[in-house]
Amino acid sequence: MARTDIFAAEMVADYTAPKSSAFPAARGDRRPPRSAPLMRRYEISGITAAGEVVDFIRRAPATPAFEDAFAAFARGTLIATPAGPVAIEDLHPGMAVETAAGARQLMWVGSTVFYPRLPDRPENALRLTRFTTDSMGFGRPSPDLVLGPRARLLFRHEGCEDMLGSPSAVAPATAFVDGISTVAVNPAAPLTVFHLALAGQQILLANGVEVESFHPGPTAGEMMDFDTRTLFLSLFPHVETLADFGPMTLPRLTAFEFEQIRNR
């Protein structure tokens, strides 16, 4: 398939904020001014409805609704494909990747760069989760697996059936941190992180560990106004509406729910 570059000239710096309004607040308006959201540069490669692969760069808010779609896998993560493991930065839409349901076509690859911390907003420092080799069983992972703050792992436990009516679910990677074989890492240098989208919610193999592909979730629309939703959908050439992301077959656990189940 032919590849085209669009919006390639839109080279914008990470973490820039929109300019404030030139109009002062009306006299007597005692409400505090609303702080403008930080903006981030997102790089996208996706398949259009016509089957064409397009690459582009967009600036969008550095908020969870957007960052969830880009911050799951660290550079160098090995994703299982029918031809063998491939580094995530070498994947492109149209390739086949292995999933729990068999080989599926990769529809979308997104990435962004996180910096260790902002001078004025240290709370935005990137927090990674490192799973050491064999920490989840032989060859799981192999080698060490480093996941971004938005990654979710497959979790099987009889407590999932009791709580969710499903034998398995996905849980935040950060919830697995034990300080021994799974540790939180704060990188000292800028780091590129990625996410992958397929048709529907899928379970990928990353360094031998089952990790969820990107899906905005069933309630994503409730968290966005019309303009935000329109901007969000513009990042995904293979969909027109949130429903086009396809079904979710596995429920999601919060970190709190994960701890409740694991400690039973």
Side-chain angles (χ1 to χ4, degrees):
M1 290 179 288
R3 300 176 66 88
T4 59
D5 294 334
I6 60 178
F7 305 109
E10 189 182 352
M11 303 300 290
V12 294
D14 293 287
Y15 291 120
T16 58
K19 294 181 179 180
S20 60
S21 171
F23 298 97
R27 181 175 299 179
D29 187 350
R30 299 181 180 276
R31 292 175 296 177
R34 295 176 61 184
S35 58
L38 294 173
M39 303 295 283
R40 182 186 293 284
R41 192 178 93 164
Y42 297 102
E43 298 189 17
I44 296 111
S45 182
I47 296 180
T48 67
E52 183 181 19
V53 177
V54 294
D55 301 299
F56 56 97
I57 295 169
R58 284 284 172 83
R59 190 178 67 170
T63 60
F66 287 84
E67 290 182 340
D68 275 356
F70 293 84
F73 302 98
R75 186 180 184 88
T77 300
L78 300 175
I79 303 297
T81 77
V86 175
I88 194 164
E89 61 269 23
D90 295 328
L91 293 174
H92 57 81
M95 293 181 64
V97 296
E98 295 288 359
T99 75
R104 294 289 187 272
Q105 185 183 42
L106 182 61
M107 302 300 294
W108 180 91
V109 179
S111 67
T112 190
V113 176
F114 272 90
Y115 290 84
R117 65 176 61 246
L118 292 172
D120 59 337
R121 302 201 183 185
E123 70 275 9
N124 283 283
L126 174 62
R127 184 172 183 263
L128 303 171
T129 304
R130 178 184 290 275
F131 295 80
T132 58
T133 300
D134 299 335
S135 59
M136 304 182 77
F138 181 72
R140 301 182 60 245
S142 180
D144 286 10
L145 174 64
V146 180
L147 295 177
R150 311 303 182 187
R152 296 182 181 91
L153 276 66
L154 183 66
F155 177 59
R156 299 183 181 91
H157 193 286
E158 61 183 11
C160 292
E161 187 75 52
D162 297 336
M163 179 180 288
L164 304 169
S166 172
S168 55
V170 290
T174 53
F176 289 79
V177 171
D178 59 15
I180 302 172
S181 59
T182 304
V183 296
V185 179
N186 295 309
L191 183 73
T192 303
V193 286
F194 300 78
H195 217 331
L196 307 173
L198 295 83
Q201 180 194 40
Q202 302 291 343
I203 298 298
L204 307 168
L205 281 175
N207 292 20
V209 174
E210 299 95 340
V211 183
E212 183 191 37
S213 66
F214 175 70
H215 192 292
T219 62
E222 301 172 9
M223 308 299 291
M224 304 179 192
D225 59 25
F226 177 81
D227 290 339
T228 302
R229 184 166 60 252
T230 300
L231 177 58
F232 178 80
L233 289 171
S234 74
L235 305 180
F236 300 91
H238 66 292
V239 304
E240 293 184 0
T241 69
L242 291 171
D244 293 338
F245 281 98
M248 288 186 64
T249 57
L250 292 169
R252 287 172 173 167
L253 292 168
T254 66
F256 176 73
E257 291 169 336
F258 172 80
E259 285 298 325
Q260 280 189 313
I261 293 174
R262 187 169 64 170
N263 293 331
R264 287 187 176 186

